[in-house]
């Protein structure tokens, strides 16, 4: 992670409890190291257990990722990055139009039957991924359903899909 990238991200990360005077043990690893490890994992598509030894141990990296994901930090970083890209393109930070599309993909035999279905139109037994993007192609939301779900079926409550599609 470059120094410029770190300067943008640093203020979004939660302050450790021991630095805020709430007690606790100091963390053994720098947040920048943890973000570098998570970015490496996502970029290379590796498994958590295959984390190179240059990074902190994978259980620690995973624990940080889970804590940040549950706190909504991962979504916040994604939203801020999208707003920055839209601003650089001369657009409003918040999109006013969106594009939704779906794609049926085959599911492996290990995928449970409850989370997959048969798309009769495409003759695929698997799942369907629905992507919601803005007009620049930047991701707003993702929904994965059984392939038997039609495009007319309303999405479950919550998420950006409902915000765009309405009640």
């Amino acid at each position: 992670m470059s120094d410029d990238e770190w300067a943008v991200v640093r203020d979004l990360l939660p302050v450790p409890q021991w630095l805020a005077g709430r007690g606790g043990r100091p963390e053994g690893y720098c947040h920048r190291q943890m973000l570098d490890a998570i970015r490496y994992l996502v970029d290379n598509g590796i498994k958590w257990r295959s984390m190179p030894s240059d990074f902190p141990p994978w259980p620690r990296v995973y624990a940080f990722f889970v804590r940040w994901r549950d706190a909504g930090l991962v979504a916040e970083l994604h939203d801020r990055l999208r707003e920055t890209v839209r601003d650089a393109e001369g657009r409003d930070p918040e999109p006013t139009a969106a594009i939704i599309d779906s794609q049926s993909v085959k599911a492996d035999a290990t995928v449970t039957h409850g989370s997959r279905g048969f798309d009769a139109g495409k003759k695929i037994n698997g799942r369907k991924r629905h992507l919601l993007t803005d007009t620049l192609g930047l991701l707003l939301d993702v929904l994965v359903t059984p392939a038997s779900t039609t495009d007319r079926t309303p999405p479950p409550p919550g998420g950006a899909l409902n915000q765009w599609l309405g009640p």
Side-chain angles (χ1 to χ4, degrees), residues 127-144:
R127 294 180 174 170
K128 189 178 278 190
R129 55 183 170 217
H130 307 265
L131 297 179
L132 183 69
T133 64
D134 66 1
T135 55
L136 294 176
L138 302 174
L139 189 65
L140 296 172
D141 200 9
V142 175
L143 178 66
V144 178

Side-chain angles (χ1 to χ4, degrees), residues 104 117-125 128 147-150:
S104 296
F118 186 74
D119 184 350
K122 297 192 177 161
K123 310 238 185 306
I124 291 179
N125 183 10
K128 189 178 278 190
S148 57
T149 305
T150 65

Side-chain angles (χ1 to χ4, degrees), residues 11 14 20 27-28 32 40 44 60 76 78 90 93-95 103-105 118 121 127 145-146 150 153-154 157 159 163:
D11 294 334
E27 295 174 349
R32 187 172 180 173
Y40 181 86
N44 293 298
R60 295 300 319 139
E76 178 69 21
H78 180 264
E94 281 297 318
Q103 179 183 23
S104 296
V105 292
F118 186 74
R127 294 180 174 170
T145 62
T150 65
T153 305
Q163 173 189 349

Side-chain angles (χ1 to χ4, degrees), residues 40-41 44-59:
Y40 181 86
L41 178 113
N44 293 298
I46 63 170
K47 297 177 183 176
W48 285 103
R49 293 178 188 261
S50 299
M51 188 79 62
S53 60
D54 299 349
F55 295 113
W58 76 266

Side-chain angles (χ1 to χ4, degrees), residues 8-162:
V8 171
V9 172
R10 183 179 185 176
D11 294 334
L12 295 175
L13 297 176
V15 176
Q17 291 186 4
W18 66 275
L19 278 177
R22 294 189 300 252
R25 185 170 64 170
E27 295 174 349
Y29 299 99
C30 170
H31 286 173
R32 187 172 180 173
Q33 284 179 309
M34 293 299 177
L35 276 176
D36 282 340
I38 293 168
R39 288 178 63 188
Y40 181 86
L41 178 113
V42 171
D43 182 47
N44 293 298
I46 63 170
K47 297 177 183 176
W48 285 103
R49 293 178 188 261
S50 299
M51 188 79 62
S53 60
D54 299 349
F55 295 113
W58 76 266
R60 295 300 319 139
V61 177
Y62 182 72
F64 269 80
F65 171 75
V66 168
R67 186 180 332 152
W68 290 342
R69 181 197 61 199
D70 293 346
L73 179 66
V74 175
E76 178 69 21
L77 288 172
H78 180 264
D79 292 345
R80 293 266 182 110
L81 179 60
R82 184 183 63 244
E83 289 171 3
T84 303
V85 170
R86 288 184 60 82
D87 193 40
E89 291 286 326
R91 305 278 186 110
D92 289 333
E94 281 297 318
T96 56
I99 302 163
I100 188 168
D101 194 17
S102 63
Q103 179 183 23
S104 296
V105 292
K106 290 182 182 178
D108 191 58
T110 60
V111 176
T112 62
H113 288 286
S115 67
R116 66 179 177 183
F118 186 74
D119 184 350
K122 297 192 177 161
K123 310 238 185 306
I124 291 179
N125 183 10
R127 294 180 174 170
K128 189 178 278 190
R129 55 183 170 217
H130 307 265
L131 297 179
L132 183 69
T133 64
D134 66 1
T135 55
L136 294 176
L138 302 174
L139 189 65
L140 296 172
D141 200 9
V142 175
L143 178 66
V144 178
T145 62
S148 57
T149 305
T150 65
D151 290 339
R152 294 181 182 203
T153 305
L161 284 172
N162 284 307

